[in-house]
Amino acid sequence: MTPENMYPVKSAVKTKSYLKGMEAYQEMYERSIKDPEGFWLEAAKNLDWFKFPEKAGQGDFKRVNHSWFMGGKLNVTYNCLDRHLAKRGNKSALIWAKDEPGQYQNITYQEVYENVCRLTNLLEAQGVKKGDRVCIYLPMIPELVYSVLACARLGAVHSVVFGGFSADSLKGRIIDAECKIVITANEGLRGGKKVPLKNITDDAIKDIDFVKTVLVVNRTSAQVNMVEGRDYNYEEEIKKYRPVAPCATVDAEDPLFILYTSGSTGKPKGVMHTSGGYLTYAAFTHRYIFDYHEDDVYFCTADVGWVTGHSYVVYGPLANGATSVLFESIPSYPDAGRYWQVIQDLKATIFYTAPTALRSLAQSGDEIVKKYDRSSLRILGTVGEPINPEIWKWYHDVVGESRCDIVDTWWQTETGGILITPIPGVTPTKPGSATLPFFGVQPLIVKPENGEEVKGNGVEGALCIKSSWPGQARTIYKDHARFVETYFTQYPGLYFTGDGCRRDEDGYYWITGRIDDVLNVSGHRLGTAEVESALMEHPEIAEAAVVGYPHDIKGVGIHAYVILYEHKESTKELVESIKDVVREKIGRFAAPDIIHITKGLPKTRSGKVMRRILRKIASHEYGGLGDTSTLSEPGVVDNLVEEHKKLK
Ligand code: WTA
C-alpha cells in the first residue's frame, strides 16, 4: 500500500512501464546487488560488441582501480548510429530546436551517420588519432553532436567545453587536455544574443603553440578572423570527405571523454569516462528511468557542455535509437512559454530539465503554461539540484496536469549516469525526494565526523556509495592521485559524493545539497576556491572569501566577501568591475550575486577563515553564530552583520 504522504504512480505510465510494480523493482534491485556480475553482463547485451566482455566489474575502492567489461571491444558511435541504420535509418535521431522560436530541423539517423562519417574522415586527415584529445567549444547545434560522435568513432577523446565559459577557462581546459584541435563556431546564438565563440577561442589559444587546427562552423552570417593554415571553415571542408568511414575498435576501458568539473579545491578537474561501461550505463538508465519506448519524443533541455547533455541528450538516447531534441535556446526566450511551446510543437512525451529553470518559469504563472498543449507528455524529470517540494508540486500539477510521473534524478559528472531516482510507473514519489537507488547502486550514509555508517531509517549524514557501477568515472585526467584524494580518502573504501543526505522513515533518500566547498548555482557546479582565485585577479582585492546562500531562483547564490588593499565604500562601478573579473576568468554565469566589501574576516587564531560564520551571515542567520570566542578579532562578526543588513 502507498503511504499517504506519497504520490502514487500514474496508471497510464504504469501500463507502459517495463517493470510491473514495486515488487518487480525490489526483485531486480536485489538481483543487481547479489549478482552484479550476471546483472551487468546481461545489461551489456543491450550494446553491440565486436567482442563481448568476459567479465563485468573488477577492482575496488580501496585500490581505486574499478573497471568494467574488460576484454570487451566495441565502438561507441557504432552503437549510437550504425546499428540503427537498417531499422531506423529514416527515423529522426535529432530534432534541432533552433534558437529562433518555432524553427526546427529533423535529422534522421542516416543523416547523422553521414555527417559524422564525413567529419571522422576530416579529423583523421587533420591528424587526429585514437587517444588524441579534441576540444569542442560549440553552441547547441547538430555539429556539436556530430563532433562528439566523430571523436568516438575514431577512438579520440572529446573534451566539450560549455559555450558560457570564458577564454581563460577554455584555455585552461585546452592546455590541461593538450588538445591539438578545437572545433568551434563563428558565433553562438542564445536567446537572440550572439556569443563570439571564435573570438573567444582566438583569445584562448593565442599563446598555445600545440593547437594546430581550428574548425569553424558558421552558425550566423558574421565574418570572423580566420588564421591561414590553422583555421578551416567546417562546411567547406566537410564536403571534401566521403559520407562513410570505418570505425575504430576500442577496448571497453579506453577513454571516451574528459569533462571538466569544479571541486572544492584547485582548478577544475578533468573527469575521465571510458567507453563500454559508460555507454552501457547511459543507455540502460535512459531506458528504465525515462521509461523510453520506440515512439517517444524525448526532450532533455540540458546543454551538451554539461554531463547531463553527454549522457541524456547524446549517448543514452542515441544508443537506444531514440529521437532526441537538441534545444539551442533558453527557457525565457522569447518568453516563459518556450519549453511548453517546444513540447506542443514536437509532441514531446518525455521532458527532462533543471529545478532552477522551473523555479523561474513558475514565477510567470500558470496561464502561460496552459496556453500550450502538453497532452503528449507522460514523464517529467529533474536533475542538477534539490527540487523544492512546492516547485515539484507545480511541475506535477500544472505542467504535468497531474497525469505524468515525476522522476527527480540524483547523480553527478563523476557518476556518468543517474544513481538515485524513482522508476516511472513503479516508484511512488514524494515531492523533493530522489526516492530510491537505481539497480546496482548501494548508497550509504556516514557520520561526517568519523565515517561511521549510520544504518536504518530516519537518519542523516554524508552520502557515499559502497561499490562501483559501470558508468563511474575512472580517474581525473593525468592526475589519478587527485582522483583518489578527492573521492576515496575521507571514508576509505567508499566513494564520497560531496553531498549531504537524509534517509527518511520509508527508506527514501533526500539530497540536502553539497557539504563540501562546491556551490551549485543554477545547477552549475562552482568551487568557492575557483571563484576566490578569480576575484584575487582584481587589482584592488587583497583577500576574498566566497560562500553560498539560499537563492529563490538559482537555488544557491554567491556571496563574495572582499577586502581591498585600500578600503573604500562600495560603488556600482567597483562592484561591476569585481564581477567582471569573475566573468572574464570563469564565465558570466559565475559572477557573484553579492559583493560585500569589508575590512575584516572572521579568522581563527591560526588564521583560518571561519566559513561557517560567513555562510550564516550570508543566509541572514544572524543569531546562533556559535562560539566566536576563538576568533582572533571577535568584533569583525558584528561588523559583518551590520554591513550585511545594509546590503541590498
Ligand atoms: C547536485 C549533474 C539534489 C548534487 C548531473 C550533485 C542534485 C551535483 C540532484 C552534481 C538531485 C544533482 N537532487 N541534488 N536530483 N542532481 N544534484 O556534476 O549536489 O553538474 O553532487 O552533475 O548536483 O552536479 P553535476
Side-chain angles (χ1 to χ4, degrees):
M1 224 181 68
T2 307
E4 272 168 27
N5 57 351
M6 293 193 191
Y7 280 58
V9 300
K10 305 296 177 292
S11 53
V13 184
K14 196 170 166 179
T15 327
K16 269 202 149 183
S17 180
Y18 292 107
L19 290 176
K20 298 294 165 236
M22 277 305 272
E23 286 84 38
Y25 159 79
Q26 267 143 4
E27 186 271 322
M28 192 157 155
Y29 180 74
E30 270 158 38
R31 186 154 52 88
S32 73
I33 301 303
K34 279 200 196 113
D35 177 24
E37 189 65 20
F39 185 89
W40 288 115
L41 280 177
E42 170 116 11
K45 289 188 188 145
N46 292 315
L47 300 187
D48 283 10
W49 297 80
F50 300 147
K51 180 167 177 291
F52 194 74
E54 288 138 30
K55 272 198 71 64
Q58 275 173 292
D60 58 56
F61 289 169
K62 288 215 170 66
R63 292 170 295 168
V64 194
N65 61 351
H66 48 279
S67 9
W68 286 86
F69 306 125
M70 298 275 270
K73 290 185 188 297
L74 79 166
N75 181 276
V76 167
T77 299
Y78 180 90
N79 277 279
C80 293
L81 301 175
D82 307 43
R83 65 165 175 163
H84 301 310
L85 294 181
K87 228 176 92 186
R88 306 189 181 94
N90 293 323
K91 176 175 175 174
S92 295
L94 300 174
I95 305 178
W96 180 30
K98 300 187 192 184
D99 190 54
E100 296 86 348
Q103 287 200 30
Y104 304 98
Q105 185 185 337
N106 284 61
I107 309 163
T108 66
Y109 271 93
Q110 182 66 36
E111 288 165 339
V112 175
Y113 169 81
E114 290 181 7
N115 276 292
V116 168
C117 286
R118 284 185 202 274
L119 182 55
T120 305
N121 289 325
L122 163 55
L123 292 178
E124 201 168 23
Q126 285 292 340
V128 178
K129 291 186 295 297
K130 190 171 174 175
D132 286 352
R133 278 81 49 214
V134 174
C135 176
I136 303 173
Y137 185 58
L138 283 171
M140 285 288 280
I141 57 179
E143 288 79 2
L144 171 52
V145 180
Y146 305 158
S147 300
V148 160
L149 293 175
C151 288
R153 193 169 190 85
L154 275 171
V157 181
H158 57 75
S159 163
V160 182
V161 178
F162 171 58
F165 278 112
S166 67
D168 267 36
S169 294
L170 177 62
K171 178 180 178 181
R173 284 156 173 76
I174 293 172
I175 292 176
D176 188 76
E178 299 154 303
C179 301
K180 285 185 286 191
I181 176 161
V182 181
I183 310 178
T184 188
N186 62 343
E187 290 183 322
L189 215 47
R190 275 186 100 221
K193 291 203 184 79
K194 293 177 173 154
V195 188
L197 296 175
K198 176 61 166 63
N199 288 347
I200 297 172
T201 305
D202 284 349
D203 219 12
I205 63 177
K206 65 175 186 287
D207 302 323
I208 308 178
D209 55 10
F210 55 79
V211 175
K212 302 289 182 215
T213 309
V214 180
L215 280 181
V216 185
V217 181
N218 278 331
R219 171 59 181 97
T220 66
S221 56
Q223 292 294 319
V224 290
N225 169 47
M226 294 293 275
V227 176
E228 180 77 33
R230 184 195 74 181
D231 301 352
Y232 298 89
N233 177 286
Y234 182 103
E235 288 85 353
E236 278 169 25
E237 291 302 309
I238 208 84
K239 282 190 245 154
K240 302 177 188 163
Y241 295 90
R242 296 184 69 212
V244 283
C247 56
T249 298
V250 307
D251 287 331
E253 282 294 343
D254 276 343
L256 177 62
F257 66 84
I258 299 169
L259 185 57
Y260 287 84
T261 191
S262 299
S264 16
T265 55
K267 290 185 306 179
K269 307 176 283 246
V271 172
M272 159 83 79
H273 283 281
T274 57
S275 304
Y278 171 81
L279 192 67
T280 300
Y281 199 74
F284 194 72
T285 47
H286 174 259
R287 182 176 300 280
Y288 277 95
I289 296 165
F290 299 105
D291 188 36
Y292 168 71
H293 288 77
E294 187 66 42
D295 50 359
D296 276 315
V297 175
Y298 168 83
F299 176 16
C300 167
T301 64
D303 194 291
V304 176
W306 307 107
V307 75
T308 307
H310 280 62
S311 303
Y312 299 113
V313 174
V314 183
Y315 287 118
L318 297 187
N320 287 332
T323 297
S324 184
V325 176
L326 189 66
F327 182 70
E328 190 183 17
S329 197
I330 53 171
S332 55
Y333 179 71
D335 58 34
R338 187 61 188 275
Y339 281 165
W340 327 126
Q341 183 187 354
V342 175
I343 290 167
Q344 167 180 287
D345 291 350
L346 304 181
K347 298 197 170 38
T349 54
I350 303 166
F351 178 64
Y352 189 33
T353 195
T356 188
L358 297 173
R359 283 192 295 266
S360 76
L361 296 176
Q363 288 199 332
S364 299
D366 301 355
E367 285 320 303
I368 190 151
V369 186
K370 291 178 180 160
K371 214 172 112 186
Y372 298 96
D373 179 8
R374 288 153 289 118
S375 59
S376 56
L377 289 172
R378 185 171 93 256
I379 288 151
L380 300 173
T382 68
V383 57
E385 331 144 59
I387 180 163
N388 354 20
E390 318 78 69
I391 290 295
W392 190 102
K393 287 180 192 152
W394 181 78
Y395 200 28
H396 177 273
D397 297 350
V398 180
V399 177
E401 301 172 309
S402 306
R403 172 177 39 76
C404 301
D405 266 359
I406 303 226
V407 288
D408 169 0
T409 65
W410 174 84
W411 60 295
Q412 311 177 295
T413 305
E414 296 87 342
T415 71
I418 298 164
L419 295 196
I420 302 181
T421 177
I423 305 284
V426 176
T427 318
T429 44
K430 297 187 193 189
S433 168
T435 76
L436 298 170
F438 188 69
F439 306 119
V441 175
Q442 301 188 70
L444 213 77
I445 296 180
V446 304
K447 284 190 194 152
E449 320 83 76
N450 57 13
E452 222 175 86
E453 180 181 357
V454 274
K455 295 207 166 113
N457 290 340
V459 295
E460 193 164 346
L463 179 64
C464 293
I465 313 287
K466 199 168 159 188
S467 61
S468 189
W469 60 98
Q472 185 174 23
R474 302 297 193 260
T475 194
I476 289 171
Y477 185 62
K478 291 193 304 194
D479 202 350
H480 196 65
R482 191 172 174 203
F483 186 63
V484 174
E485 161 70 27
T486 310
Y487 307 105
F488 302 93
T489 47
Q490 292 89 340
Y491 311 115
L494 301 175
Y495 166 71
F496 173 50
T497 65
D499 279 326
C501 178
R502 181 161 69 83
R503 188 163 53 222
D504 74 10
E505 294 303 335
D506 298 310
Y508 274 40
Y509 290 85
W510 300 70
I511 311 298
T512 50
R514 302 290 305 198
I515 50 174
D516 53 6
D517 286 318
V518 171
L519 307 177
N520 203 330
V521 180
S522 302
H524 299 330
R525 257 168 82 166
L526 284 167
T528 51
E530 206 184 331
V531 182
E532 285 163 6
S533 65
L535 288 166
M536 295 303 290
E537 302 274 329
H538 190 283
E540 291 183 68
I541 294 181
E543 205 177 335
V546 163
V547 297
Y549 68 96
H551 187 287
D552 284 350
I553 303 292
K554 298 179 168 187
V556 173
I558 305 179
H559 185 116
Y561 296 87
V562 299
I563 300 176
L564 306 177
Y565 286 113
E566 277 174 56
H567 183 73
K568 52 172 132 164
E569 289 305 308
S570 175
T571 61
K572 212 168 156 234
E573 291 71 36
L574 179 59
V575 165
E576 275 315 299
S577 76
I578 293 174
K579 289 184 180 179
D580 275 346
V581 76
V582 181
R583 292 183 183 117
E584 260 165 50
K585 295 287 152 194
I586 306 177
R588 301 194 70 79
F589 64 91
D593 299 276
I594 292 168
I595 303 289
H596 181 157
I597 295 169
T598 187
K599 282 186 192 160
L601 294 172
K603 288 185 184 162
T604 59
R605 291 203 182 98
S606 60
K608 209 167 166 275
V609 174
M610 295 185 81
R611 294 176 170 279
R612 178 179 55 81
I613 293 177
L614 295 181
R615 273 195 290 268
K616 290 221 162 177
I617 295 173
S619 309
H620 293 90
E621 291 172 32
Y622 303 141
L625 287 174
D627 183 10
T628 53
S629 62
T630 57
L631 289 179
S632 58
E633 293 172 72
V636 298
V637 173
D638 294 337
N639 186 39
L640 284 171
V641 169
E642 285 318 306
E643 286 168 351
H644 188 248
K645 285 180 181 161
K646 288 186 212 136
L647 286 171
K648 276 180 280 327

